[in-house]
Amino acid sequence: MTINVKQTLQTLRASDFKHWVTTFWLVKRKLSQQQAKYSVLKVDTDAKLEKKLKQAVTDKVLDTDYQLDDYDFLTADQDKGLLTIASSDTDVMLIQAEIEKGTANAKVEQYEELLDSWAMVIKLEYQDKTIYAYRKINKFNNAARLSHISFIQFKDKELKDLDEKEIFTIDTQVDFFTYEGTTFIANKKEFESTLNFRAGMEKNRDVVLQEFVDLKILSDASLLKEHIGANLNYLRKVSSIQKSGYYKDAKFLEELIKVNDLKKWGLTVENGAIVINEDSIDLVLTLLNNGRLESPINHEIFDASVKKKVT
Protein backbone atom coordinates (compact mmCIF):
# COMPACT_ATOMS: atom_id res chain seq x y z
CA MET A 1 0.00 0.00 0.00
CA THR A 2 1.30 3.43 -0.89
CA ILE A 3 1.57 6.35 1.50
CA ASN A 4 -0.70 8.23 -0.90
CA VAL A 5 -3.58 5.83 -0.21
CA LYS A 6 -3.30 6.47 3.53
CA GLN A 7 -3.12 10.22 2.97
CA THR A 8 -6.11 10.08 0.62
CA LEU A 9 -8.22 8.37 3.28
CA GLN A 10 -7.03 10.77 5.97
CA THR A 11 -7.98 13.73 3.79
CA LEU A 12 -11.38 12.21 3.06
CA ARG A 13 -12.00 11.65 6.76
CA ALA A 14 -11.35 15.34 7.38
CA SER A 15 -14.20 16.28 5.03
CA ASP A 16 -17.42 17.94 6.16
CA PHE A 17 -20.06 15.73 4.55
CA LYS A 18 -22.92 18.12 5.25
CA HIS A 19 -23.17 19.36 1.66
CA TRP A 20 -22.38 16.10 -0.12
CA VAL A 21 -25.27 15.03 -2.36
CA THR A 22 -26.55 11.46 -1.95
CA THR A 23 -28.07 9.33 -4.72
CA PHE A 24 -29.12 5.70 -4.66
CA TRP A 25 -28.56 3.18 -7.45
CA LEU A 26 -29.37 -0.46 -8.07
CA VAL A 27 -27.06 -2.68 -10.08
CA LYS A 28 -28.29 -5.43 -12.36
CA ARG A 29 -25.85 -8.10 -13.51
CA LYS A 30 -25.88 -10.60 -16.34
CA LEU A 31 -23.28 -13.30 -16.86
CA SER A 32 -22.29 -14.53 -20.31
CA GLN A 33 -19.50 -17.11 -20.48
CA GLN A 34 -18.37 -15.95 -17.02
CA GLN A 35 -18.14 -12.34 -18.24
CA ALA A 36 -20.22 -9.92 -16.19
CA LYS A 37 -22.22 -7.13 -17.77
CA TYR A 38 -23.67 -4.47 -15.52
CA SER A 39 -26.50 -1.99 -15.87
CA VAL A 40 -27.87 0.45 -13.30
CA LEU A 41 -31.15 2.05 -12.28
CA LYS A 42 -31.51 5.26 -10.30
CA VAL A 43 -33.92 5.10 -7.38
CA ASP A 44 -35.45 8.19 -5.82
CA THR A 45 -35.51 8.18 -2.01
CA ASP A 46 -37.27 10.26 0.61
CA ALA A 47 -35.32 12.55 2.94
CA LYS A 48 -35.33 10.08 5.84
CA LEU A 49 -33.87 7.22 3.81
CA GLU A 50 -31.41 9.53 2.07
CA LYS A 51 -30.07 10.61 5.44
CA LYS A 52 -29.75 6.99 6.57
CA LEU A 53 -27.89 6.01 3.38
CA LYS A 54 -25.43 8.88 3.72
CA GLN A 55 -24.88 8.00 7.37
CA ALA A 56 -24.07 4.39 6.42
CA VAL A 57 -21.31 5.60 4.11
CA THR A 58 -19.83 8.27 6.35
CA ASP A 59 -19.84 5.91 9.35
CA LYS A 60 -17.71 3.47 7.37
CA VAL A 61 -15.37 6.16 6.04
CA LEU A 62 -14.91 7.82 9.43
CA ASP A 63 -14.38 4.63 11.43
CA THR A 64 -10.74 5.01 12.44
CA ASP A 65 -10.74 1.60 14.15
CA TYR A 66 -10.25 0.09 10.69
CA GLN A 67 -6.61 -0.68 9.94
CA LEU A 68 -5.50 -0.36 6.31
CA ASP A 69 -3.82 -3.30 4.59
CA ASP A 70 -3.26 -4.43 1.02
CA TYR A 71 -5.81 -6.77 -0.53
CA ASP A 72 -4.46 -10.23 -1.20
CA PHE A 73 -6.14 -13.39 -2.40
CA LEU A 74 -5.04 -15.12 0.78
CA THR A 75 -5.67 -12.97 3.85
CA ALA A 76 -6.35 -13.56 7.50
CA ASP A 77 -9.61 -12.69 9.27
CA GLN A 78 -10.34 -9.05 8.56
CA ASP A 79 -11.52 -8.13 12.07
CA LYS A 80 -11.56 -4.34 11.67
CA GLY A 81 -9.29 -4.46 8.64
CA LEU A 82 -9.87 -2.27 5.60
CA LEU A 83 -8.22 -3.87 2.57
CA THR A 84 -7.19 -1.70 -0.37
CA ILE A 85 -6.92 -2.46 -4.06
CA ALA A 86 -6.68 -0.31 -7.17
CA SER A 87 -10.19 0.21 -8.53
CA SER A 88 -8.84 -0.38 -12.03
CA ASP A 89 -8.20 -4.02 -11.04
CA THR A 90 -11.90 -4.58 -10.34
CA ASP A 91 -15.30 -4.38 -12.01
CA VAL A 92 -16.22 -1.23 -10.08
CA MET A 93 -14.94 0.78 -13.02
CA LEU A 94 -17.59 -0.84 -15.24
CA ILE A 95 -20.35 -0.13 -12.74
CA GLN A 96 -19.27 3.43 -12.08
CA ALA A 97 -19.04 4.14 -15.80
CA GLU A 98 -22.71 3.18 -16.04
CA ILE A 99 -23.66 5.41 -13.11
CA GLU A 100 -21.72 8.30 -14.63
CA LYS A 101 -24.14 8.24 -17.57
CA GLY A 102 -26.47 10.02 -15.15
CA THR A 103 -29.90 10.84 -16.58
CA ALA A 104 -29.25 8.55 -19.55
CA ASN A 105 -30.01 5.72 -17.12
CA ALA A 106 -33.57 4.68 -16.44
CA LYS A 107 -35.20 5.60 -13.15
CA VAL A 108 -37.24 3.06 -11.21
CA GLU A 109 -40.92 3.74 -11.79
CA GLN A 110 -42.48 0.35 -10.96
CA TYR A 111 -41.98 -1.89 -7.94
CA GLU A 112 -41.08 -4.88 -10.13
CA GLU A 113 -38.04 -2.98 -11.44
CA LEU A 114 -36.50 -3.13 -7.96
CA LEU A 115 -36.50 -6.90 -7.91
CA ASP A 116 -33.63 -9.18 -8.91
CA SER A 117 -31.04 -6.48 -8.30
CA TRP A 118 -27.48 -7.63 -7.77
CA ALA A 119 -26.09 -4.83 -5.63
CA MET A 120 -26.84 -1.34 -4.42
CA VAL A 121 -24.61 1.69 -4.71
CA ILE A 122 -24.80 4.81 -2.56
CA LYS A 123 -23.11 7.69 -4.36
CA LEU A 124 -21.93 10.71 -2.41
CA GLU A 125 -20.56 13.67 -4.33
CA TYR A 126 -19.43 17.21 -3.67
CA GLN A 127 -17.75 19.41 -6.26
CA ASP A 128 -15.10 17.16 -7.88
CA LYS A 129 -15.13 14.51 -5.13
CA THR A 130 -17.11 11.27 -5.34
CA ILE A 131 -17.53 8.23 -3.11
CA TYR A 132 -19.23 5.07 -4.33
CA ALA A 133 -20.30 2.72 -1.55
CA TYR A 134 -21.42 -0.83 -2.38
CA ARG A 135 -23.54 -3.45 -0.71
CA LYS A 136 -24.52 -6.84 -2.09
CA ILE A 137 -28.32 -7.01 -2.17
CA ASN A 138 -29.76 -9.62 0.19
CA LYS A 139 -31.83 -12.54 -1.00
CA PHE A 140 -35.23 -11.03 -0.22
CA ASN A 141 -35.53 -9.10 -3.47
CA ASN A 142 -36.31 -12.00 -5.76
CA ALA A 143 -39.94 -12.37 -6.90
CA ALA A 144 -40.01 -16.16 -6.51
CA ARG A 145 -38.52 -16.05 -3.01
CA LEU A 146 -40.77 -13.21 -1.90
CA SER A 147 -43.84 -15.28 -2.75
CA HIS A 148 -42.94 -17.61 0.14
CA ILE A 149 -42.13 -14.90 2.68
CA SER A 150 -44.54 -13.35 5.16
CA PHE A 151 -43.81 -9.92 6.57
CA ILE A 152 -45.02 -9.90 10.15
CA GLN A 153 -45.26 -7.18 12.79
CA PHE A 154 -45.61 -7.63 16.55
CA LYS A 155 -48.26 -5.15 17.66
CA ASP A 156 -50.81 -5.04 20.46
CA LYS A 157 -49.26 -8.16 22.03
CA GLU A 158 -49.73 -10.33 18.96
CA LEU A 159 -48.16 -11.06 15.59
CA LYS A 160 -49.94 -9.43 12.67
CA ASP A 161 -49.54 -10.26 9.00
CA LEU A 162 -48.62 -7.19 6.96
CA ASP A 163 -50.69 -7.41 3.82
CA GLU A 164 -48.12 -5.49 1.84
CA LYS A 165 -46.84 -6.81 -1.46
CA GLU A 166 -44.52 -4.03 -2.55
CA ILE A 167 -41.78 -4.47 0.02
CA PHE A 168 -38.13 -4.13 -0.92
CA THR A 169 -35.57 -5.03 1.73
CA ILE A 170 -32.02 -3.75 2.03
CA ASP A 171 -29.63 -3.27 4.88
CA THR A 172 -27.46 -0.22 5.13
CA GLN A 173 -24.12 -1.85 5.77
CA VAL A 174 -21.30 -1.02 3.37
CA ASP A 175 -19.19 -3.89 2.01
CA PHE A 176 -16.69 -1.64 0.24
CA PHE A 177 -16.34 1.87 -1.09
CA THR A 178 -14.22 3.57 -3.74
CA TYR A 179 -12.59 6.96 -3.73
CA GLU A 180 -10.00 8.51 -6.07
CA GLY A 181 -9.02 5.26 -7.76
CA THR A 182 -8.80 3.08 -4.64
CA THR A 183 -11.31 0.53 -3.41
CA PHE A 184 -11.49 0.15 0.39
CA ILE A 185 -12.84 -3.27 1.36
CA ALA A 186 -14.58 -3.87 4.69
CA ASN A 187 -16.10 -7.24 3.73
CA LYS A 188 -13.80 -9.28 1.51
CA LYS A 189 -16.24 -12.13 0.92
CA GLU A 190 -19.02 -9.85 -0.32
CA PHE A 191 -16.56 -7.74 -2.31
CA GLU A 192 -15.38 -10.78 -4.24
CA SER A 193 -18.91 -12.08 -4.69
CA THR A 194 -20.27 -8.76 -5.91
CA LEU A 195 -17.51 -8.23 -8.46
CA ASN A 196 -17.31 -11.76 -9.83
CA PHE A 197 -13.77 -12.34 -8.61
CA ARG A 198 -14.03 -16.10 -9.06
CA ALA A 199 -14.09 -15.64 -12.85
CA GLY A 200 -10.98 -13.47 -12.57
CA MET A 201 -9.22 -16.11 -10.50
CA GLU A 202 -10.11 -18.77 -13.05
CA LYS A 203 -8.41 -16.63 -15.70
CA ASN A 204 -5.40 -16.31 -13.40
CA ARG A 205 -5.34 -20.10 -13.08
CA ASP A 206 -5.18 -20.63 -16.84
CA VAL A 207 -2.54 -17.95 -17.36
CA VAL A 208 -0.29 -19.16 -14.55
CA LEU A 209 -0.50 -22.84 -15.47
CA GLN A 210 0.44 -22.05 -19.05
CA GLU A 211 3.38 -19.99 -17.79
CA PHE A 212 4.48 -22.94 -15.64
CA VAL A 213 4.73 -25.03 -18.81
CA ASP A 214 6.26 -22.29 -20.96
CA LEU A 215 8.95 -21.62 -18.34
CA LYS A 216 9.53 -25.39 -18.00
CA ILE A 217 8.76 -25.26 -14.29
CA LEU A 218 6.35 -28.16 -14.70
CA SER A 219 6.57 -30.97 -17.20
CA ASP A 220 2.77 -30.93 -17.57
CA ALA A 221 0.05 -28.85 -15.87
CA SER A 222 -3.07 -30.75 -16.89
CA LEU A 223 -3.39 -32.68 -13.62
CA LEU A 224 -2.87 -29.49 -11.64
CA LYS A 225 -5.57 -27.68 -13.63
CA GLU A 226 -7.99 -30.56 -13.07
CA HIS A 227 -7.23 -30.51 -9.34
CA ILE A 228 -7.70 -26.75 -8.99
CA GLY A 229 -10.84 -26.63 -11.14
CA ALA A 230 -13.29 -24.10 -9.74
CA ASN A 231 -12.35 -24.76 -6.10
CA LEU A 232 -12.20 -21.32 -4.49
CA ASN A 233 -9.47 -22.26 -2.02
CA TYR A 234 -7.14 -23.48 -4.78
CA LEU A 235 -8.06 -20.57 -7.05
CA ARG A 236 -6.97 -18.22 -4.28
CA LYS A 237 -3.68 -20.07 -3.96
CA VAL A 238 -2.86 -19.97 -7.66
CA SER A 239 -3.86 -16.30 -7.91
CA SER A 240 -1.59 -15.56 -4.97
CA ILE A 241 1.22 -17.41 -6.76
CA GLN A 242 0.68 -15.20 -9.79
CA LYS A 243 0.69 -12.04 -7.71
CA SER A 244 3.86 -12.91 -5.77
CA GLY A 245 5.63 -13.96 -8.97
CA TYR A 246 8.29 -16.10 -7.28
CA TYR A 247 8.02 -18.68 -10.07
CA LYS A 248 9.44 -16.16 -12.55
CA ASP A 249 12.68 -15.93 -10.58
CA ALA A 250 15.16 -18.54 -11.88
CA LYS A 251 17.26 -18.25 -8.72
CA PHE A 252 14.22 -18.93 -6.54
CA LEU A 253 13.39 -22.07 -8.52
CA GLU A 254 16.97 -23.25 -8.40
CA GLU A 255 17.01 -22.87 -4.60
CA LEU A 256 13.59 -24.54 -4.30
CA ILE A 257 14.83 -27.67 -6.05
CA LYS A 258 18.04 -27.67 -4.04
CA VAL A 259 16.24 -27.35 -0.68
CA ASN A 260 13.68 -29.97 -1.74
CA ASP A 261 16.51 -32.46 -2.19
CA LEU A 262 18.16 -31.43 1.06
CA LYS A 263 15.01 -31.53 3.18
CA LYS A 264 13.47 -34.56 1.42
CA TRP A 265 10.18 -32.75 0.78
CA GLY A 266 9.14 -35.23 -1.87
CA LEU A 267 9.02 -33.29 -5.13
CA THR A 268 9.98 -35.30 -8.20
CA VAL A 269 12.16 -33.30 -10.59
CA GLU A 270 13.14 -34.50 -14.06
CA ASN A 271 15.35 -32.46 -16.40
CA GLY A 272 14.90 -29.43 -14.14
CA ALA A 273 11.07 -29.56 -14.27
CA ILE A 274 8.74 -30.56 -11.44
CA VAL A 275 6.65 -33.65 -12.19
CA ILE A 276 3.09 -33.34 -10.88
CA ASN A 277 1.40 -36.31 -9.25
CA GLU A 278 -1.63 -36.64 -6.99
CA ASP A 279 0.47 -36.59 -3.81
CA SER A 280 2.50 -33.51 -4.66
CA ILE A 281 -0.19 -31.06 -5.84
CA ASP A 282 -0.72 -29.23 -2.53
CA LEU A 283 3.02 -29.17 -1.86
CA VAL A 284 3.74 -27.63 -5.28
CA LEU A 285 1.18 -24.86 -4.71
CA THR A 286 2.64 -24.14 -1.28
CA LEU A 287 6.26 -24.03 -2.42
CA LEU A 288 5.64 -21.93 -5.53
CA ASN A 289 4.00 -19.35 -3.27
CA ASN A 290 7.01 -19.52 -0.91
CA GLY A 291 4.68 -20.73 1.82
CA ARG A 292 6.93 -23.26 3.59
CA LEU A 293 8.51 -21.26 6.37
CA GLU A 294 10.94 -22.02 9.19
CA SER A 295 10.79 -20.40 12.61
CA PRO A 296 14.09 -18.67 13.46
CA ILE A 297 13.31 -19.32 17.12
CA ASN A 298 12.98 -23.10 17.33
CA HIS A 299 13.43 -24.02 13.63
CA GLU A 300 10.03 -25.67 13.32
CA ILE A 301 8.73 -25.66 9.73
CA PHE A 302 5.24 -24.51 8.83
CA ASP A 303 3.11 -24.35 5.71
CA ALA A 304 1.60 -20.87 5.83
CA SER A 305 -1.13 -19.96 3.37
CA VAL A 306 -1.46 -16.51 4.94
CA LYS A 307 1.73 -14.56 5.54
CA LYS A 308 2.91 -10.99 5.70
CA LYS A 309 6.43 -9.95 4.82
CA VAL A 310 8.36 -8.20 7.59
CA THR A 311 10.13 -5.12 6.27
Side-chain angles (χ1 to χ4, degrees):
M1 183 196 315
T2 66
I3 295 175
N4 288 340
V5 170
K6 294 180 180 179
Q7 291 175 338
T8 295
L9 185 57
Q10 288 174 354
T11 301
L12 179 61
R13 283 172 170 167
S15 301
D16 180 357
F17 291 102
K18 181 179 180 180
H19 300 293
W20 289 55
V21 176
T22 305
T23 52
F24 185 61
W25 301 81
L26 292 177
V27 180
K28 307 284 186 174
R29 188 187 78 154
K30 292 183 179 179
L31 282 180
S32 177
Q33 296 180 341
Q34 294 303 306
Q35 293 294 316
K37 184 177 181 181
Y38 303 95
S39 60
V40 299
L41 292 170
K42 186 177 184 299
V43 187
D44 287 339
T45 58
D46 65 15
K48 183 178 180 181
L49 178 56
E50 182 179 309
K51 182 179 180 180
K52 182 179 289 187
L53 294 172
K54 177 188 276 191
Q55 189 72 43
V57 179
T58 56
D59 282 351
K60 189 66 66 177
V61 171
L62 297 174
D63 190 344
T64 56
D65 287 341
Y66 279 99
Q67 301 299 310
L68 291 181
D69 204 353
D70 291 323
Y71 171 88
D72 199 351
F73 295 97
L74 297 169
T75 52
D77 190 338
Q78 270 188 254
D79 194 19
K80 301 303 284 185
L82 202 60
L83 305 178
T84 64
I85 187 173
S87 295
S88 57
D89 292 340
T90 76
D91 277 2
V92 296
M93 304 301 289
L94 301 177
I95 297 170
Q96 289 165 196
E98 292 299 312
I99 293 175
E100 287 305 311
K101 293 177 182 178
T103 55
N105 291 299
K107 185 187 293 186
V108 171
E109 302 286 352
Q110 302 292 328
Y111 167 71
E112 288 74 19
E113 295 170 335
L114 297 170
L115 302 181
D116 299 314
S117 296
W118 179 248
M120 69 183 200
V121 179
I122 308 166
K123 180 183 179 183
L124 270 59
E125 56 186 324
Y126 177 68
Q127 296 179 345
D128 61 342
K129 301 176 181 179
T130 307
I131 303 170
Y132 294 90
Y134 292 75
R135 177 66 166 172
K136 179 82 174 290
I137 292 289
N138 66 48
K139 63 183 179 180
F140 298 127
N141 84 109
N142 177 276
R145 288 172 177 166
L146 283 170
S147 65
H148 301 290
I149 295 171
S150 294
F151 293 92
I152 298 171
Q153 180 185 35
F154 185 71
K155 187 177 180 181
D156 299 329
K157 300 182 181 181
E158 65 179 2
L159 290 174
K160 299 180 182 294
D161 187 16
L162 295 179
D163 188 19
E164 176 57 68
K165 302 304 181 185
E166 296 188 351
I167 291 177
F168 184 70
T169 61
I170 62 172
D171 65 67
T172 52
Q173 291 293 315
V174 170
D175 295 327
F176 56 97
F177 64 91
T178 72
Y179 181 69
E180 291 195 352
T182 299
T183 297
F184 299 86
I185 306 163
N187 188 321
K188 181 183 177 185
K189 178 182 177 181
E190 295 299 340
F191 163 77
E192 292 179 341
S193 173
T194 304
L195 298 183
N196 200 32
F197 252 51
R198 183 189 292 268
M201 286 188 276
E202 289 176 350
K203 290 181 181 178
N204 293 343
R205 174 201 63 199
D206 296 342
V207 169
V208 170
L209 294 186
Q210 186 58 52
E211 288 183 328
F212 286 169
V213 175
D214 293 344
L215 294 171
K216 296 182 170 51
I217 297 169
L218 305 180
S219 57
D220 177 51
S222 57
L223 183 60
L224 189 54
K225 182 174 182 177
E226 179 183 341
H227 184 77
I228 295 170
N231 182 285
L232 188 56
N233 181 44
Y234 288 119
L235 288 172
R236 289 187 188 281
K237 287 184 178 182
V238 79
S239 291
S240 183
I241 288 170
Q242 183 189 47
K243 183 178 180 181
S244 65
Y246 289 113
Y247 66 95
K248 297 178 181 179
D249 183 347
K251 182 64 176 177
F252 173 84
L253 293 169
E254 180 183 325
E255 289 299 317
L256 187 158
I257 292 172
K258 186 186 300 183
V259 175
N260 170 69
D261 291 338
L262 180 66
K263 300 287 187 178
K264 309 297 184 187
W265 283 342
L267 290 184
T268 300
V269 180
E270 295 179 358
N271 300 319
I274 298 170
V275 178
I276 295 292
N277 56 56
E278 291 284 355
D279 295 330
S280 67
I281 289 174
D282 286 351
L283 178 60
V284 168
L285 292 175
T286 297
L287 296 180
L288 289 178
N289 197 32
N290 203 16
R292 178 152 288 186
L293 309 175
E294 182 176 354
S295 167
I297 299 171
N298 61 5
H299 304 289
E300 286 185 330
I301 295 176
F302 302 91
D303 284 343
S305 59
V306 178
K307 57 187 183 296
K308 185 174 182 179
K309 186 180 291 185
V310 178
T311 56

